[in-house]
């Protein structure tokens, strides 16, 4: 059976939650493979709104296994709160439908404190972090001093891990003029939260291998967007993990041969939260209109997103680095009523035309968008469920996007509602 990876192909906020939820009715297992609770998904199901930031989107469906993979960094206290909130909305969450990889690194309170302190002390160039400790947690992972889920099961091991961790963090605290970490309080907090996390712990790599062997369909759910990838994003204004599709393999314990289809989620225009270059950003009435119509506020932070025209250069690049098989084109209805639409088809940098985003941050910041104009449409596309429901100008816009990004449209989303989706290519087809 086919296994599908879903990744954002812009700066995040492309509507992955709805698409993953739509696909999850066909999947048996839904796996979150990177990021932390800094990335939010909003699902609207039969008028009920669910806001997720660490749990896989499949958790709101019955008879599905949701998995938090080892590529995620997990705040166990946030997990407890999010589970309680969803249970309050009638969602059943048990060890039978939620598993957490035993080798998943934890986000601790000291990570958030360090994250916020660094951003506050940064007078050179702020990254725009959410301050939730994701970056410092990943640093500890690669620094081989992280506390992982499995460590919570043995108090002696946990104490050793905490001591190694605090050797590093207390040095940082002293250097920044912060009080040293209270070892006893941290250990007490970890021992208290341990039972809430350990009941979901499992050798996820083994479970997924067995599910694949049994012919189950696996859906890999990414967070954020490829332009925030630590290697291929707009560095240093990026997240602290790999966001592109290849991370689905290493972030879950499955080999790359398990991936059959990569679905890139692409918004019909472009948005970005926080700092960093954004060549196609609009500072006029059109940008404000996109933001208002698209309700462009972060699920997690509430920050207003920066808005701009569709940037085909960026999406073409991310489709290549993630090996995207087809895109899910979302929020087309936000463009309803624009007399003229623009698409960024190239950049001008120091008098030269570029067909890709340069690597150097200073060069990215100097890129000037080269636009192609297309006529808009006055009719509504909201709720369309077939090509016949779309205005001719809207279809032409979608087809032109396909040409410019060198990737076909597999799905088209026309509202936040689950069923307002046009299926062109079934990602789960064998």
């Amino acid at each position: 059976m086919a296994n599908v990876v879903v990744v954002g192909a812009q700066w995040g906020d492309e509507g992955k939650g709805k698409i993953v939820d739509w696909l999850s009715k066909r999947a048996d297992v839904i796996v979150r493979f990177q990021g932390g609770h800094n990335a939010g998904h909003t699902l609207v199901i039969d008028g009920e709104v669910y806001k997720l930031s660490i749990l896989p989107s499949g958790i709101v469906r019955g008879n599905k296994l949701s998995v938090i993979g080892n590529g995620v960094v997990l705040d166990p206290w946030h997990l407890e709160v999010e589970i309680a909130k969803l249970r309050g909305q009638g969602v059943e969450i048990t060890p039978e439908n939620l598993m957490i990889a035993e080798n998943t690194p934890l986000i601790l309170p000291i990570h958030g404190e360090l994250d916020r302190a660094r951003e506050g002390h940064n007078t050179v160039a702020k990254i725009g972090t959410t301050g939730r400790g994701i970056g410092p947690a990943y640093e500890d992972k690669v620094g081989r001093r992280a506390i992982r889920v499995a460590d919570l099961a043995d108090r002696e091991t946990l104490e050793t891990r905490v001591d190694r961790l605090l050797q590093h963090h207390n040095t940082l605290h002293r250097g920044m003029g912060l009080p040293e970490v209270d070892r006893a309080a941290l250990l007490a907090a970890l021992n208290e939260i341990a039972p809430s996390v350990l009941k979901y712990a499992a050798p996820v790599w083994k479970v997924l291998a067995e599910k694949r062997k049994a012919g189950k369909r696996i859906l890999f759910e990414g967070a954020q967007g490829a332009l925030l990838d630590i290697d291929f994003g707009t560095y240093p204004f990026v997240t602290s993990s790999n966001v592109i599709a290849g991370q689905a393999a290493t972030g879950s314990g499955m080999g790359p041969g398990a991936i059959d289809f990569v679905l890139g989620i692409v918004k019909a225009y472009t948005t970005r939260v926080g700092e960093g270059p954004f060549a196609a950003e609009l500072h006029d009435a059109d940008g404000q209109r996109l933001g208002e119509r698209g309700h462009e506020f972060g699920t997690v932070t509430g920050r207003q997103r920066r808005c701009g025209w569709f940037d085909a250069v960026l999406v073409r690049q991310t489709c290549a680095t993630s090996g995207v098989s087809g895109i899910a084109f979302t929020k087309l209805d936000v463009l309803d009523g624009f007399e003229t639409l623009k698409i960024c088809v190239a950049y001008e940098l120091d008098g030269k035309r570029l067909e890709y985003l340069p690597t150097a941050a200073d060069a990215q910041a100097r890129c000037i968008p080269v636009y192609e104009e297309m006529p808009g449409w006055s009719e509504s596309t909201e709720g369309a469920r077939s090509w016949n429901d779309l205005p001719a100008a809207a279809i032409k816009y979608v087809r032109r996007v396909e040409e410019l990004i060198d990737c076909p449209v597999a799905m088209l989303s026309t509202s936040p509602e689950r069923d307002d989706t046009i299926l062109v290519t079934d990602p789960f087809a064998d």
Side-chain angles (χ1 to χ4, degrees):
M1 306 295 282
N3 298 322
V4 177
V5 177
V6 175
V7 293
Q10 293 160 303
W11 275 295
D13 311 309
E14 301 96 347
K16 291 182 294 298
K18 172 201 166 168
I19 300 300
V20 170
D21 173 63
W22 192 92
L23 288 169
S24 66
K25 64 185 177 183
R26 308 272 314 281
D28 302 294
V29 184
I30 298 90
V31 183
R32 173 78 184 272
F33 61 84
Q34 55 78 221
H37 63 304
N38 57 335
H41 293 329
T42 299
L43 308 179
V44 181
I45 302 171
D46 299 328
E48 182 81 20
V49 178
Y50 302 92
K51 291 185 180 293
L52 311 177
S53 56
I54 193 62
L55 290 168
S57 297
I59 199 69
V60 300
R61 286 188 174 273
N63 303 316
K64 308 288 180 183
L65 174 60
S66 289
V67 172
I68 295 176
N70 58 277
V72 171
V73 283
L74 177 68
D75 183 323
W77 296 276
H78 175 85
L79 175 70
E80 193 173 50
V81 170
E82 191 168 319
I83 287 175
K85 183 177 180 181
L86 286 178
R87 282 178 175 157
Q89 292 182 273
V91 178
E92 183 180 5
I93 301 175
T94 71
E96 280 66 51
N97 70 345
L98 175 64
M99 287 185 182
I100 302 172
E102 295 170 320
N103 52 339
T104 300
L106 299 181
I107 300 175
L108 309 179
I110 58 175
H111 292 131
E113 293 166 8
L114 178 60
D115 205 357
R116 294 185 291 273
R118 279 177 173 170
E119 193 76 346
H121 283 77
N122 190 345
T123 58
V124 180
K126 292 187 182 296
I127 301 300
T129 171
T130 60
R132 298 199 167 203
I134 280 74
Y138 274 117
E139 288 178 41
D140 283 342
K141 175 182 177 178
V142 299
R144 295 167 291 182
R145 54 182 173 265
I147 294 171
R148 307 196 295 180
V149 168
D151 298 329
L152 297 176
D154 183 81
R155 293 200 173 196
E156 186 175 339
T157 297
L158 183 60
E159 289 194 19
T160 302
R161 296 283 189 271
V162 166
D163 287 340
R164 174 170 168 75
L165 183 73
L166 294 189
Q167 276 187 331
H168 174 78
H169 278 268
N170 280 333
T171 301
L172 291 177
H173 277 228
R174 288 192 293 270
M176 299 180 72
L178 301 173
E180 292 193 0
V181 179
D182 186 329
R183 177 183 184 273
L186 177 58
L187 278 168
L190 286 168
N191 284 318
E192 182 181 7
I193 198 69
S196 298
V197 180
L198 288 172
K199 63 184 176 183
Y200 301 109
V204 159
W205 66 268
K206 183 174 182 294
V207 172
L208 292 179
E210 291 168 352
K211 294 291 185 183
R212 185 188 180 203
K213 187 176 180 180
K216 302 299 183 181
R217 286 175 168 163
I218 303 173
L219 182 62
F220 298 90
E221 174 185 11
Q224 302 155 306
L227 291 167
L228 294 174
D229 185 271
I230 188 69
D231 288 307
F232 293 99
T234 49
Y235 191 91
F237 305 100
V238 293
T239 193
S240 300
S241 63
N242 285 111
V243 183
I244 60 176
Q247 176 65 15
T250 54
S252 66
M254 296 198 78
I259 299 171
D260 301 299
F261 192 99
V262 177
L263 183 68
I265 315 300
V266 178
K267 195 180 291 187
Y269 49 102
T270 311
T271 62
R272 167 162 212 174
V273 172
E275 308 296 326
F278 183 176
E281 183 175 8
L282 295 172
H283 301 281
D284 58 10
D286 285 336
Q288 184 176 353
R289 185 178 178 185
L290 287 171
E292 291 173 353
R293 295 204 60 193
H295 306 290
E296 296 297 350
F297 295 90
T299 301
V300 171
T301 63
R303 290 184 292 180
Q304 186 170 359
R305 298 174 187 137
R306 301 153 63 190
C307 297
W309 295 117
F310 185 80
D311 191 327
V313 181
L314 295 180
V315 176
R316 182 171 61 245
Q317 191 160 325
T318 58
C319 283
T321 55
S322 270
V324 173
S325 312
I327 67 166
F329 206 43
T330 67
K331 288 199 167 186
L332 182 66
D333 54 301
V334 173
L335 299 183
D336 293 352
F338 279 90
E339 184 176 340
T340 302
L341 300 173
K342 294 182 181 180
I343 299 175
C344 177
V345 296
Y347 302 130
E348 183 181 306
L349 176 62
D350 301 334
K352 297 180 180 179
R353 183 182 174 101
L354 276 186
E355 304 283 338
Y356 65 94
L357 183 70
T359 300
D362 64 321
Q364 292 176 355
R366 297 200 313 276
C367 284
I368 300 171
V370 177
Y371 287 119
E372 177 181 296
E373 292 190 357
M374 294 190 70
W377 54 89
S378 57
E379 306 95 320
S380 174
T381 63
E382 185 175 0
R385 298 185 181 182
S386 74
W387 287 109
N388 292 333
D389 296 333
L390 296 177
I395 295 175
K396 288 180 181 178
Y397 181 80
V398 174
R399 294 306 187 199
R400 182 56 179 150
V401 165
E402 287 182 312
E403 292 174 356
L404 290 169
I405 67 173
D406 195 26
C407 190
V409 169
M411 302 172 66
L412 191 65
S413 172
T414 55
S415 92
E417 289 292 340
R418 176 190 289 166
D419 294 328
D420 291 342
T421 305
I422 301 170
L423 181 64
V424 182
T425 301
D426 184 356
F428 276 123
D430 297 333

